[in-house]
Amino acid sequence: MSTLRRWIPNQHGAWAMLAVPYLAGVLIGSPSWLQLPLFLAWSLGYCAVFHTEQWVRLRRASRNPRAAARHRRPALLFTAATLALGLPLLCAAPWLALAAAAMAAAAMAPFLAVNVLYARRNRERALANGLVAVVPACGMLLVALRAGGGTLAGGLAPALACLLYFAGTVPYVKTMIRERNSEAYRRGSVACHAVALVAAALLDPWLAVPFALYLARAAVLPGRGLGVPLVGAVEVGCSLLLLGFLVGVYG
């Protein structure tokens, strides 16, 4: 169990960001058998990227070689597992190769490059680093929807809604934990959520309901001394609320 805990990333917000857009794509479309191994490959790929970034960061930032070395084995094994599962998926659904190439060109390659750059600088929790990670995660909604027979056009609006929400969580969570005393972060977070509310309402008026609540939490909760578990619980609830509205509006 201790080994499993060390190998599975404990970034709960990242797991929500991986799961919610994907589940939205599944539930908006028609569930199919392909979506289950696809999500498993997606999760394994995230674990591979996480350990690779930690390996890169700690090799430069730590004077203890063991701190970096403990990420090397999971990075290699998760990468191998992703390939082992991904190659049969490509054989079963060749269109995934085109989807993977499109995501690599438009999202994964540049955003992964930024993540690795910040990892090398030991700043993997920088604001820009968190924001760029949101894009490929939300893009997977389109892949999951297509795997269930949906269309790109049908997934653009819900994918944008996911992007608006998860991009807003990056500065908001910082105002609750690492930047809890920063008034500039707090004002920036509220401004981002106000813009997101307007944009979401333009996508669909019903989306104004959850995004108004997200704006309220960004304006009211910072500075109230909430513990990390409670902050996480609120975000789980907000993520599930988004999922419910996406399925209700677009399903």
Side-chain angles (χ1 to χ4, degrees):
M1 181 62 71
S2 60
T3 300
L4 182 62
R5 288 177 180 174
R6 290 197 304 268
W7 281 41
I8 301 301
N10 62 350
Q11 306 295 315
H12 302 100
W15 283 112
M17 194 165 60
L18 289 174
V20 169
Y22 201 96
L23 288 173
V26 171
L27 297 174
I28 289 171
S30 300
S32 73
W33 69 269
L34 183 64
Q35 290 161 335
L36 184 58
L38 189 57
F39 183 72
L40 181 56
W42 176 232
S43 301
L44 290 171
Y46 162 65
C47 292
V49 170
F50 172 83
H51 284 288
T52 299
E53 289 182 352
Q54 296 305 309
W55 186 9
V56 170
R57 179 180 69 87
L58 292 172
R59 283 183 64 188
R60 293 181 63 86
S62 176
R63 296 180 180 179
N64 182 4
R66 292 183 179 179
R70 67 186 179 90
H71 290 283
R72 180 175 56 203
R73 186 179 179 192
L76 294 174
L77 289 180
F78 276 125
T79 298
T82 303
L83 293 174
L85 185 57
L87 292 177
L89 278 173
L90 292 178
C91 294
W95 65 267
L96 284 172
L98 180 60
M103 287 194 68
M108 290 300 295
F111 296 119
L112 182 59
V114 172
N115 274 263
V116 171
L117 175 63
Y118 274 101
R120 287 176 61 86
R121 294 178 177 178
N122 197 25
R123 296 181 58 206
E124 78 279 8
R125 294 186 182 273
L127 179 63
N129 190 46
L131 290 173
V132 297
V134 171
V135 177
C138 295
M140 282 302 293
L141 185 152
L142 302 174
V143 180
L145 181 62
R146 175 64 181 83
T151 64
L152 178 64
L156 283 178
L160 287 173
C162 284
L163 186 63
L164 290 171
Y165 167 68
F166 284 107
T169 65
V170 177
Y172 163 71
V173 170
K174 287 187 177 296
T175 66
M176 300 298 292
I177 303 175
R178 290 178 175 268
E179 301 291 344
R180 63 173 66 90
N181 297 320
S182 172
E183 187 62 30
Y185 258 93
R186 193 174 303 182
R187 289 195 300 266
S189 174
V190 171
C192 288
H193 281 79
V195 171
L197 171 58
V198 174
L202 292 175
L203 290 175
D204 190 280
W206 277 108
L207 292 179
V209 176
F211 277 86
L213 293 175
Y214 302 151
L215 173 59
R217 84 165 179 342
V220 173
L221 294 186
R224 295 188 177 273
L226 301 183
V228 173
L230 184 54
V231 172
V234 170
E235 290 313 289
V236 168
C238 289
S239 297
L240 292 176
L241 181 66
L242 176 66
L243 179 60
F245 267 86
L246 291 179
V247 175
V249 171
Y250 298 105

